[in-house]
Amino acid sequence: MIELVDVHKAFGANTVLTGVNLTLRKGRSMVIIGGSGTGKSVLLKCVLGLVQPDKGAISVDGTDVTNLRQGTPERDAFLARFGMLFQGSALFDSLPVWQNVAFRLLRGSLKKPRTEAHEIAVEKLRRVGLSPDVAELFPAELSGGMQKRVGLARAIATEPEIIFFDEPTTGLDPIMAGVINDLIRGIANEMGSTAMTITHDMSSVRAIADEVAMLHDGMIQWTGPASEMDSSGDPCVAQFIAGSAEGPIETVR
Amino acid sequence: MNVLAIIGRAVLAMLAAIGRVTLFAVDTVSHLGRPPYYPREFAQALVQIGYFSLPVVGLTTIFTGGALALQIYAGGARFSAEAVVPQIVAIGMVRELGPVLVGLMIAARVTSSIAAEIATMKVTEQIDALITLSTNPAKYLTLPRVLAATVVMPFLVGVGDIIGIMGGYLVGVERLGFNAGTYLRNTIDFLEPLDVVSSLTKAAVFGFLAALMGCYFGMRSDRGAQGVGRATKSAVVAASVLILAANFVLTELFFSA
Ligand SMILES: Nc1ncnc2c1ncn2[C@@H]1O[C@H](COP(=O)(O)OP(=O)(O)OP(=O)(O)O)[C@@H](O)[C@H]1O
Ligand SMILES: [Mg+2]
C-alpha cells in the first residue's frame, strides 16, 4: 500500500504540490489525471525519492520512505520493488536496446547469465509489440513511440511489485496504445502488481484504471473508482472528461 | 552597491563550491571500498580515456619537444651554452611540460566529453532512471571514470614525456647538428628518478582532477541544452585551472629544497 499524507513541493517560487493526500491499495491500478504542468510527474518522483518533498510523509506498506538516504540498504531494498517508465523514456543511449531492458538483470543482486538476460529482454520487447531485431539497435535509432515501449519493457523486466507509468501511451498510434493499455491492465491482474499510471488519454483511463485521482492546483481534487468517474460531481473531473475549455482548469498555464 | 558585500559574497560562494567539490571527491573515493563495482564500465573508461587519447598526446608533445629544442638552442647561443639542449629538453618535458600539456589536453578531450555525457544523462532523466534501477550513479558513472583517468594518466604522461624528448632529439640531431648517441646519453644521464616520479605523480593527480570535474559539473547540470553547455564549459575551465594550480603545489612539494 502506498500512502501520501499532506505532501508539499515547490521549486523556488513555483509551488507545485500543496498538500497531496492519496492512498493506493496493493494490487490496484490507479490512474492520475490532471492538466499539463500540474505536478503529476513530480508526484511520482516524490514517491521514488528522486525529488525530495518539502513537507509531508510518504509510506509504502506502512514504512516511511520519505527520508531514505541514497545508498543505504533500506533504500536499495525499496527501489528493488519498483519499476518506472519515465515520461521521456530515459533510455541509456550508450547501451543497445536489449541491455536497456535487461539492465537490472545484467548487474547487481538480480544478475543473471548474459544469454538468459538477453532472452528475457527479447520476450519483454515482444510483450510491448517490438520485434527481436529491435533488441540489437541503439535507442537513438528508434522512433519516439518505440523508445517509449522499450522504456515500458525495461520497467516491467523484473516483474516488480509496484510499477509507475508516466504517460505510457503518449505518442503511440491508437492500435499500439490499445496493446499497451491491455498490457498494463494485465500486469495488475496477472502479476498482482500495484500500478500507478499518469495519462491524458481518457480511453486509457477507462481501460486501465481501478481508481482515478484528479490532481489540480497542487491537490487531489477527487479520487474514486473508475466506474464513478462520470458521475463524480467534481467540476475538474467533468471538465477533463468533456475536454472543455469552460471550467476550473484554466487553459493558460 | 557595497564593494565589501560583493567581495564577501564571492568569497563565500567560492568556499561553498570548494566544500561541495571536496565532499563530492570524498564520496567518490569512498565507493572504492564499497561494492558493487562495475568492471565493464571501468574497462570502457580506460579505453576511452587512455587509448583514444594517445594520438593527441603524441602530437602535442612531439611538437612541443621540438619547439623547446629550438628555443633552448637559440637562447643558449647567447651565452654559448647550446650544448645543454638535451638536458634542458629532458628536464623541461619530464618535470613540467609533459604532465601539464597532457593534463590540459585531457581536460579538453576527456573532461568535456565526460561532463557533456553525464549532463545529458541528467537532463534526459537517465540518472533518475539509473537510481530507480537500483544503480548508484556515483558507483556506475563517476568512480569508473575517475579511477580510470587516475591510473591511465601516468601511462599517457610517460608516453608523452618520451615522445616530447623524441621531438627534441629529432630537431637536435636533424636540424641543430647534435650527435645522435651523445644526445641520448646526455638525456639519460641527466634525468634523475625524482624527475620521473614527480612527472607520473602529477599525471595521476591531474587525471583524477580532470575526470572528477567532468563528473561533478555533469551531475549538477541544469535542465536543457543550455544546462549541458554550461556544465561542459565549467568543467573544462575548472579542470584546467585546478590542474595548473595543482602543478604549482606539486612542483613546490617535489623541488623546493
Ligand atoms: N527538477 C525540476 N526543477 C524545477 N522545476 C521543476 C522540476 N521538475 C518539475 N518542475 C516544475 O514542476 C511543475 C510540474 O511539472 P511536472 O513535470 O510534474 O508536470 P506534469 O503534471 O507531469 O505535466 P505533463 O502532463 O505536461 O507531463 C512544472 O511547473 C515544472 O516546471
Ligand atoms: Mg509529466
Side-chain angles (χ1 to χ4, degrees):
Chain A
M1 190 172 88
I2 303 174
E3 200 167 11
L4 291 90
V5 180
D6 197 31
V7 172
H8 289 248
K9 180 68 198 178
F11 295 99
N14 178 12
T15 49
V16 180
L17 304 178
T18 55
V20 169
N21 293 294
L22 197 61
T23 307
L24 174 57
R25 278 178 293 136
K26 201 175 169 62
R28 305 281 285 176
S29 167
M30 175 179 271
V31 168
I32 302 176
I33 55 175
S36 180
T38 46
K40 304 182 296 298
S41 299
V42 169
L43 184 66
L44 290 196
K45 288 185 185 172
C46 281
V47 177
L48 286 167
L50 299 172
V51 167
Q52 200 63 35
D54 301 330
K55 193 176 147 215
I58 299 167
S59 63
V60 175
D61 291 342
T63 346
D64 187 2
V65 296
T66 327
N67 293 309
L68 284 185
R69 292 215 344 113
Q70 182 68 33
T72 57
E74 294 79 32
R75 173 121 171 101
D76 288 346
F78 165 78
L79 286 171
R81 303 172 59 191
F82 277 88
M84 165 90 184
L85 164 67
F86 286 85
Q87 189 167 353
S89 303
L91 301 178
F92 305 123
D93 34 37
S94 58
L95 300 176
V97 164
W98 78 267
Q99 289 189 27
N100 264 282
V101 175
F103 191 86
R104 260 188 178 155
L105 303 172
L106 290 168
R107 43 184 77 69
S109 55
L110 296 172
K111 187 166 171 154
K112 289 199 161 49
R114 263 176 109 72
T115 46
E116 197 183 331
H118 188 274
E119 270 168 37
I120 295 175
V122 169
E123 156 63 16
K124 299 294 171 191
L125 286 169
R126 198 189 53 73
R127 288 201 63 183
V128 297
L130 290 169
S131 73
D133 322 335
V134 174
E136 312 306 324
L137 299 177
F138 279 86
E141 299 172 282
L142 306 182
S143 77
M146 290 163 92
Q147 290 181 6
K148 191 120 234 177
R149 287 184 280 151
V150 174
L152 197 61
R154 183 174 70 184
I156 62 172
T158 53
E159 315 204 337
E161 284 170 61
I162 307 165
I163 317 185
F164 289 170
F165 303 100
D166 197 341
E167 306 199 4
T169 55
T170 308
L172 301 185
D173 63 72
I175 303 163
M176 200 40 81
V179 171
I180 298 304
N181 287 339
D182 291 346
L183 175 75
I184 294 176
R185 186 66 260 176
I187 283 167
N189 285 353
E190 293 158 28
M191 295 169 23
S193 302
T194 311
M196 208 187 258
T197 309
I198 296 173
T199 184
H200 293 294
D201 174 6
M202 289 316 290
S203 63
S204 280
V205 178
R206 293 180 200 285
I208 298 171
D210 294 323
E211 284 160 55
V212 178
M214 171 83 212
L215 182 67
H216 178 63
D217 244 0
M219 291 194 226
I220 300 294
Q221 302 290 336
W222 182 82
T223 174
S227 52
E228 291 172 18
M229 183 170 65
D230 292 305
S231 53
S232 68
D234 182 84
C236 292
V237 176
Q239 185 188 355
F240 211 83
I241 294 172
S244 141
E246 307 296 319
I249 305 178
E250 295 122 40
T251 47
V252 179
R253 18 195 158 100
Chain B
M1 251 297 202
N2 188 341
V3 182
L4 279 179
I6 297 174
I7 297 174
R9 247 196 301 279
V11 170
L12 283 181
M14 202 173 81
L15 289 178
I18 291 173
R20 278 195 303 268
V21 170
T22 310
L23 281 180
F24 187 80
V26 169
D27 179 65
T28 301
V29 174
S30 77
H31 288 291
L32 265 180
R34 289 186 282 153
Y37 305 113
Y38 298 99
R40 197 177 283 266
E41 275 62 40
F42 176 67
Q44 255 166 25
L46 273 185
V47 173
Q48 277 296 329
I49 299 171
Y51 184 70
F52 288 120
S53 295
L54 279 172
V56 70
V57 165
L59 287 171
T60 310
T61 48
I62 197 161
F63 288 125
T64 308
L68 195 59
L70 288 177
Q71 289 284 16
I72 292 161
Y73 189 80
R78 291 190 210 156
F79 29 93
S80 0
E82 300 94 329
V84 297
V85 167
Q87 289 91 330
I88 306 281
V89 165
I91 216 169
M93 275 320 294
V94 172
R95 284 188 180 188
E96 283 296 323
L97 291 174
V100 170
L101 287 178
V102 173
L104 292 178
M105 285 322 249
I106 291 299
R109 191 182 172 276
V110 173
T111 307
S112 62
S113 85
I114 291 178
E117 183 184 3
I118 294 185
T120 305
M121 290 184 75
K122 166 103 190 208
V123 167
T124 56
E125 298 181 319
Q126 291 179 52
I127 305 276
D128 284 345
L130 265 186
I131 295 172
T132 62
L133 293 167
S134 313
T135 304
N136 188 334
K139 291 185 198 293
Y140 182 75
L141 295 173
T142 307
L143 183 64
R145 285 167 174 74
V146 171
L147 192 62
T150 310
V151 301
V152 88
M153 261 294 270
F155 161 74
L156 282 178
V157 167
V159 170
D161 289 348
I162 292 169
I163 294 181
I165 289 172
M166 287 283 300
Y169 168 87
L170 286 176
V171 169
V173 172
E174 301 295 329
R175 285 279 310 280
L176 307 176
F178 280 83
N179 174 282
T182 321
Y183 192 106
L184 281 184
R185 201 162 336 101
N186 281 344
T187 300
I188 292 163
D189 286 351
F190 193 72
L191 276 181
E192 301 201 7
L194 181 66
D195 298 326
V196 178
V197 170
S198 78
S199 190
L200 302 186
T201 308
K202 282 179 174 184
V205 173
F206 298 171
F208 176 81
L209 290 172
L212 190 78
M213 287 302 105
C215 295
Y216 174 76
F217 284 99
M219 291 286 184
R220 285 172 49 86
S221 169
D222 293 331
R223 310 212 290 169
Q226 235 182 5
V228 177
R230 252 200 307 270
T232 309
K233 176 200 69 185
S234 306
V236 174
V237 170
S240 308
V241 172
L242 279 179
I243 283 172
L244 294 173
N247 180 55
F248 175 74
V249 173
L250 288 170
T251 303
E252 179 83 21
L253 280 178
F254 272 107
F255 298 110
S256 76

